[in-house]
Short mmCIF file of all heavy atoms in Angstrom, two decimals:
data_model
loop_
_atom_site.label_atom_id
_atom_site.label_comp_id
_atom_site.label_asym_id
_atom_site.label_seq_id
_atom_site.Cartn_x
_atom_site.Cartn_y
_atom_site.Cartn_z
N ALA A 108 15.68 11.41 11.70
CA ALA A 108 16.74 10.74 10.94
C ALA A 108 18.07 11.48 11.09
O ALA A 108 19.14 10.87 11.13
CB ALA A 108 16.35 10.63 9.46
N THR A 109 18.00 12.80 11.18
CA THR A 109 19.22 13.61 11.32
C THR A 109 20.01 13.22 12.56
O THR A 109 21.24 13.23 12.56
CB THR A 109 18.85 15.10 11.37
OG1 THR A 109 18.12 15.45 10.19
CG2 THR A 109 20.09 15.98 11.45
N GLU A 110 19.29 12.85 13.60
CA GLU A 110 19.94 12.48 14.86
C GLU A 110 20.28 10.99 14.94
O GLU A 110 21.18 10.61 15.70
CB GLU A 110 19.05 12.86 16.02
CG GLU A 110 18.79 14.36 16.11
CD GLU A 110 17.93 14.76 17.29
OE1 GLU A 110 16.84 14.16 17.45
OE2 GLU A 110 18.32 15.65 18.04
N LEU A 111 19.58 10.16 14.15
CA LEU A 111 19.71 8.71 14.34
C LEU A 111 20.48 8.00 13.22
O LEU A 111 21.01 6.90 13.44
CB LEU A 111 18.33 8.07 14.47
CG LEU A 111 17.51 8.46 15.71
CD1 LEU A 111 16.13 7.84 15.66
CD2 LEU A 111 18.24 8.02 16.97
N MET A 112 20.53 8.58 12.03
CA MET A 112 21.20 7.90 10.92
C MET A 112 22.70 7.74 11.22
O MET A 112 23.33 8.67 11.75
CB MET A 112 21.02 8.67 9.61
CG MET A 112 19.62 8.59 9.04
SD MET A 112 19.38 9.59 7.54
CE MET A 112 20.09 8.50 6.30
N THR A 113 23.24 6.58 10.89
CA THR A 113 24.68 6.36 11.05
C THR A 113 25.41 7.07 9.91
O THR A 113 24.80 7.51 8.93
CB THR A 113 25.00 4.87 11.00
OG1 THR A 113 24.70 4.36 9.69
CG2 THR A 113 24.20 4.08 12.04
N GLU A 114 26.72 7.14 10.03
CA GLU A 114 27.50 7.76 8.95
C GLU A 114 27.35 6.96 7.65
O GLU A 114 27.33 7.53 6.56
CB GLU A 114 28.98 7.85 9.36
CG GLU A 114 29.26 8.85 10.46
CD GLU A 114 28.80 10.24 10.10
OE1 GLU A 114 29.02 10.69 8.95
OE2 GLU A 114 28.19 10.91 10.97
N ALA A 115 27.21 5.64 7.80
CA ALA A 115 27.01 4.79 6.61
C ALA A 115 25.66 5.10 5.97
O ALA A 115 25.53 5.12 4.74
CB ALA A 115 27.08 3.31 6.99
N ASP A 116 24.63 5.35 6.80
CA ASP A 116 23.31 5.70 6.28
C ASP A 116 23.36 7.03 5.53
O ASP A 116 22.77 7.18 4.46
CB ASP A 116 22.30 5.82 7.43
CG ASP A 116 22.00 4.49 8.10
OD1 ASP A 116 22.13 3.46 7.43
OD2 ASP A 116 21.64 4.51 9.29
N VAL A 117 24.09 8.00 6.11
CA VAL A 117 24.21 9.31 5.47
C VAL A 117 24.94 9.20 4.14
O VAL A 117 24.57 9.83 3.14
CB VAL A 117 24.94 10.30 6.41
CG1 VAL A 117 25.17 11.64 5.71
CG2 VAL A 117 24.13 10.52 7.69
N GLU A 118 25.97 8.36 4.11
CA GLU A 118 26.71 8.14 2.87
C GLU A 118 25.82 7.49 1.81
O GLU A 118 25.86 7.85 0.63
CB GLU A 118 27.93 7.25 3.14
CG GLU A 118 28.72 6.82 1.90
CD GLU A 118 29.34 8.00 1.15
OE1 GLU A 118 29.40 9.11 1.71
OE2 GLU A 118 29.77 7.80 0.02
N GLU A 119 24.98 6.58 2.24
CA GLU A 119 24.05 5.92 1.31
C GLU A 119 23.06 6.95 0.76
O GLU A 119 22.71 6.91 -0.44
CB GLU A 119 23.31 4.80 2.02
CG GLU A 119 22.53 3.89 1.09
CD GLU A 119 21.98 2.67 1.79
OE1 GLU A 119 22.53 2.27 2.83
OE2 GLU A 119 20.98 2.12 1.30
N LEU A 120 22.63 7.88 1.61
CA LEU A 120 21.72 8.93 1.16
C LEU A 120 22.41 9.81 0.12
O LEU A 120 21.79 10.22 -0.88
CB LEU A 120 21.26 9.76 2.35
CG LEU A 120 20.20 10.83 2.07
CD1 LEU A 120 18.89 10.19 1.59
CD2 LEU A 120 19.94 11.67 3.32
N ARG A 121 23.69 10.10 0.34
CA ARG A 121 24.45 10.89 -0.63
C ARG A 121 24.52 10.19 -1.98
O ARG A 121 24.38 10.82 -3.03
CB ARG A 121 25.86 11.16 -0.11
CG ARG A 121 26.71 12.05 -1.04
CD ARG A 121 28.13 12.19 -0.53
NE ARG A 121 28.86 10.92 -0.62
CZ ARG A 121 29.41 10.44 -1.73
NH1 ARG A 121 29.30 11.13 -2.87
NH2 ARG A 121 30.06 9.30 -1.72
N LEU A 122 24.72 8.89 -1.95
CA LEU A 122 24.81 8.12 -3.19
C LEU A 122 23.47 8.15 -3.95
O LEU A 122 23.44 8.20 -5.18
CB LEU A 122 25.23 6.69 -2.89
CG LEU A 122 26.66 6.51 -2.35
CD1 LEU A 122 26.91 5.05 -1.98
CD2 LEU A 122 27.69 7.01 -3.36
N VAL A 123 22.37 8.09 -3.20
CA VAL A 123 21.05 8.19 -3.84
C VAL A 123 20.92 9.56 -4.50
O VAL A 123 20.48 9.68 -5.64
CB VAL A 123 19.92 7.97 -2.81
CG1 VAL A 123 18.55 8.30 -3.44
CG2 VAL A 123 19.92 6.55 -2.29
N LEU A 124 21.31 10.60 -3.78
CA LEU A 124 21.24 11.97 -4.29
C LEU A 124 22.06 12.12 -5.57
O LEU A 124 21.60 12.69 -6.56
CB LEU A 124 21.74 12.93 -3.21
CG LEU A 124 21.72 14.42 -3.52
CD1 LEU A 124 20.28 14.91 -3.71
CD2 LEU A 124 22.41 15.20 -2.41
N GLU A 125 23.26 11.57 -5.57
CA GLU A 125 24.15 11.74 -6.70
C GLU A 125 23.85 10.79 -7.86
O GLU A 125 24.40 10.95 -8.95
CB GLU A 125 25.60 11.55 -6.25
CG GLU A 125 26.07 12.65 -5.30
CD GLU A 125 27.52 12.50 -4.87
OE1 GLU A 125 28.13 11.47 -5.24
OE2 GLU A 125 28.04 13.40 -4.18
N SER A 126 22.98 9.82 -7.64
CA SER A 126 22.64 8.87 -8.70
C SER A 126 21.64 9.46 -9.71
O SER A 126 21.40 8.86 -10.76
CB SER A 126 22.06 7.58 -8.11
OG SER A 126 20.79 7.81 -7.52
N LEU A 127 21.08 10.62 -9.39
CA LEU A 127 20.15 11.26 -10.34
C LEU A 127 20.95 11.79 -11.53
O LEU A 127 21.86 12.59 -11.36
CB LEU A 127 19.40 12.41 -9.65
CG LEU A 127 18.36 13.13 -10.49
CD1 LEU A 127 17.20 12.19 -10.83
CD2 LEU A 127 17.85 14.38 -9.77
N PRO A 128 20.64 11.34 -12.74
CA PRO A 128 21.38 11.80 -13.93
C PRO A 128 21.28 13.31 -14.11
O PRO A 128 20.36 13.95 -13.58
CB PRO A 128 20.70 11.04 -15.07
CG PRO A 128 20.02 9.88 -14.43
CD PRO A 128 19.61 10.34 -13.08
N ALA A 129 22.19 13.86 -14.86
CA ALA A 129 22.20 15.29 -15.12
C ALA A 129 20.92 15.73 -15.83
O ALA A 129 20.37 16.80 -15.54
CB ALA A 129 23.41 15.66 -15.96
N GLU A 130 20.45 14.92 -16.75
CA GLU A 130 19.20 15.22 -17.46
C GLU A 130 18.28 14.01 -17.35
O GLU A 130 18.12 13.24 -18.31
CB GLU A 130 19.48 15.57 -18.91
CG GLU A 130 20.31 16.84 -19.08
CD GLU A 130 20.53 17.20 -20.54
OE1 GLU A 130 19.94 16.53 -21.41
OE2 GLU A 130 21.29 18.16 -20.80
#
Side-chain angles (χ1 to χ4, degrees):
T109 303
E110 298 181 309
L111 295 176
M112 288 176 80
T113 65
E114 291 303 317
D116 292 333
V117 175
E118 174 63 13
E119 191 171 336
L120 185 63
R121 183 185 68 80
L122 293 175
V123 171
L124 182 64
E125 293 182 354
S126 68
L127 182 66
E130 296 183 6

